Amino acid sequence: MQGKPLTVPDDGLTTKQRRNRPLVIVHTGPGKGKSTAAFGLALRGWNQGWDIGVFQFVKSAKWRIGEQTALEALAAVHAETGQGGPIEWHKMGSGWSWSRKEGSDEDHAVAAQEGWAEIKRRLADEQHTLYVLDEFTYPMKWGWIDPVDVAETLRDRPGTQHVIITGRDCAPEVLEIADLVTEMTKIKHPFDAGQKGQKGIEW
Amino acid sequence: MQGKPLTVPDDGLTTKQRRNRPLVIVHTGPGKGKSTAAFGLALRGWNQGWDIGVFQFVKSAKWRIGEQTALEALAAVHAETGQGGPIEWHKMGSGWSWSRKEGSDEDHAVAAQEGWAEIKRRLADEQHTLYVLDEFTYPMKWGWIDPVDVAETLRDRPGTQHVIITGRDCAPEVLEIADLVTEMTKIKHPFDAGQKGQKGIEW
């Protein structure tokens, strides 16, 4: 639901300027739904005609093939009819889509760094309206990518570019510059009762 | 990611039977992403060819028009090419899609009860593989729909039908029979800084 501002900030911006301010959104915490909610937001962006780039930073259960296939179907609808917006999907573990290298023997730290370097180029070029950096907290957590560089790059990015970051244990430097942070907490989970993941639910 | 069961339950089921056990999923709590993550799960279900029914129980910001439009585009892809599965979207506040009544003067409690009665019929008929009951916690909270009836109906539903319920303050009777409960907690929100909702992010 649309909320009312609790306070009016003294930032010299009009309500409309604040309304259209680009956001950094973080979905973190140990519960389910961090990435799923990010892809749900991509549905809204698609309907607004936004240019969307998805960047997956670690191997996920079956590579989120359900979401990828569905979003690529929406990208095809856009290409054929003009409805919605374009969507690109890039993943690290088998070699980034823009790179020619095959990924089987790649160094994961180097691959993560290449991914972030490309995202920095795209942010500088204002290439997308919405960036989904899926499981991007982990390469920061593992020391492969500097969270200070991420925080400064996102804080200083030009234009109107929204960025969603998902994953557990987000670096405090990134939380500090984020506009919206939601934590997903597990209350009850079928794995606790001895059940394994199943298609359609887990991937 | 796929998890390993922590315990093996003494329920007489094989791993495969447990794996394909239909789930009741609840997204609750005061944070963002409860409904958005449910629609993200619908992307996975669509890719599996599931028959999906979405039922919106309260008026939401612009009716979640982004998600509705995107999922209806995917339903059209299915109708034209056979890819994915069918998706129906029904909403209460302007009269349920299956009802002939126009909604402007309707009693919201009666409309909610009609919606739940229809969902019970569909569950008995095993009409859908995935039911998204969006903001369904509220008519229970407001005393319009009996949570004991909901809990018993979901617990005893036939076949393989997954159900996702979203909204704050979910009734304990429903949490009790749920297989997966995730709470979304707000850590930081731009409304706190005087910003209003914006298209593409809030709807």
Side-chain angles (χ1 to χ4, degrees):
Chain A
M1 300 187 208
Q2 282 182 262
K4 278 211 165 187
L6 301 174
T7 57
V8 176
D10 184 24
D11 55 10
L13 298 175
T14 65
T15 299
K16 185 175 171 66
Q17 284 171 326
R18 274 195 301 273
R19 176 183 285 264
N20 294 315
R21 195 168 58 180
L23 298 178
V24 173
I25 297 172
V26 176
H27 294 169
T28 191
K32 310 285 289 181
K34 296 184 289 292
S35 298
T36 318
F39 297 120
L41 276 174
L43 294 180
R44 293 190 195 155
W46 177 83
N47 184 56
Q48 295 290 344
W50 288 1
D51 186 310
I52 298 173
V54 178
F55 304 85
Q56 277 192 286
F57 274 84
V58 300
K59 284 194 185 182
S60 301
K62 307 250 171 171
W63 284 110
R64 308 201 188 290
I65 195 70
E67 294 93 325
Q68 182 178 356
T69 306
L71 292 182
E72 287 177 348
L74 289 175
V77 167
H78 173 71
E80 284 164 31
T81 71
Q83 188 187 1
I87 302 175
E88 287 181 18
W89 190 292
H90 303 285
K91 49 195 179 191
M92 183 179 91
S94 56
W96 293 106
S97 323
W98 62 76
S99 162
R100 274 186 225 163
K101 285 182 237 169
E102 285 299 319
S104 55
D105 291 282
E106 72 187 346
D107 180 321
H108 285 169
V110 170
Q113 287 153 6
E114 284 175 359
W116 171 237
E118 174 71 12
I119 290 162
K120 287 175 79 168
R121 283 190 291 271
R122 290 177 184 223
L123 285 166
D125 293 345
E126 301 184 35
Q127 191 163 339
H128 303 289
T129 318
L130 174 64
Y131 298 73
V132 178
L133 309 188
D134 191 35
E135 307 199 64
F136 187 52
T137 59
Y138 301 105
M140 289 189 273
K141 185 179 176 180
W142 298 329
W144 299 347
I145 294 173
D146 179 5
V148 173
D149 181 37
V150 172
E152 290 179 353
T153 301
L154 295 182
R155 187 193 61 201
D156 299 338
R157 73 198 186 283
T160 303
Q161 303 182 88
H162 302 286
V163 180
I164 309 177
I165 294 171
T166 76
R168 295 180 183 212
D169 306 323
C170 187
E173 296 87 345
V174 174
L175 293 178
E176 178 62 30
I177 60 90
D179 301 288
L180 170 60
V181 178
T182 303
E183 179 169 277
M184 278 67 170
T185 308
K186 180 189 79 165
I187 303 295
K188 191 197 243 186
H189 196 286
F191 295 169
D192 299 340
Q195 189 171 3
K196 295 182 75 181
Q198 59 184 304
K199 68 180 179 180
I201 299 293
E202 299 295 328
W203 61 85
Chain B
M1 298 185 209
Q2 281 181 263
K4 278 211 165 189
L6 301 175
T7 60
V8 176
D10 184 24
D11 56 10
L13 298 175
T14 66
T15 299
K16 186 175 170 67
Q17 285 170 324
R18 274 196 300 273
R19 178 184 282 265
N20 294 314
R21 196 169 57 178
L23 298 178
V24 173
I25 297 172
V26 176
H27 294 168
T28 192
K32 308 288 290 181
K34 296 183 290 293
S35 298
T36 318
F39 297 120
L41 276 174
L43 294 180
R44 293 190 194 155
W46 177 83
N47 185 54
Q48 295 290 343
W50 288 0
D51 185 310
I52 297 172
V54 178
F55 303 85
Q56 278 192 286
F57 273 84
V58 301
K59 285 192 185 183
S60 302
K62 307 251 174 169
W63 283 111
R64 307 200 189 289
I65 197 68
E67 294 93 325
Q68 181 177 358
T69 306
L71 292 182
E72 287 177 348
L74 289 174
V77 167
H78 172 71
E80 283 164 32
T81 70
Q83 187 188 3
I87 302 175
E88 288 181 17
W89 190 292
H90 304 286
K91 51 193 177 191
M92 186 178 88
S94 55
W96 293 105
S97 323
W98 63 76
S99 161
R100 274 187 227 161
K101 283 183 237 169
E102 285 299 320
S104 56
D105 290 282
E106 73 188 346
D107 180 320
H108 285 167
V110 170
Q113 288 153 7
E114 285 174 359
W116 171 237
E118 174 72 11
I119 289 163
K120 288 175 78 169
R121 284 189 292 271
R122 292 178 181 222
L123 286 166
D125 292 346
E126 301 184 34
Q127 192 163 338
H128 302 291
T129 317
L130 174 64
Y131 298 72
V132 178
L133 310 188
D134 190 37
E135 307 200 67
F136 187 52
T137 59
Y138 301 105
M140 290 190 273
K141 186 180 175 182
W142 297 331
W144 299 347
I145 294 173
D146 180 6
V148 174
D149 180 37
V150 172
E152 290 179 355
T153 300
L154 295 181
R155 186 194 62 202
D156 300 337
R157 71 197 188 286
T160 303
Q161 303 182 88
H162 303 286
V163 180
I164 310 177
I165 293 171
T166 76
R168 296 182 184 210
D169 305 324
C170 187
E173 296 88 344
V174 174
L175 293 178
E176 177 61 32
I177 61 91
D179 301 287
L180 170 60
V181 178
T182 303
E183 179 168 279
M184 279 68 170
T185 307
K186 178 189 80 168
I187 304 294
K188 191 195 241 187
H189 195 286
F191 295 170
D192 301 341
Q195 189 171 3
K196 294 183 77 182
Q198 58 183 304
K199 68 179 179 181
I201 298 294
E202 299 295 328
W203 62 84

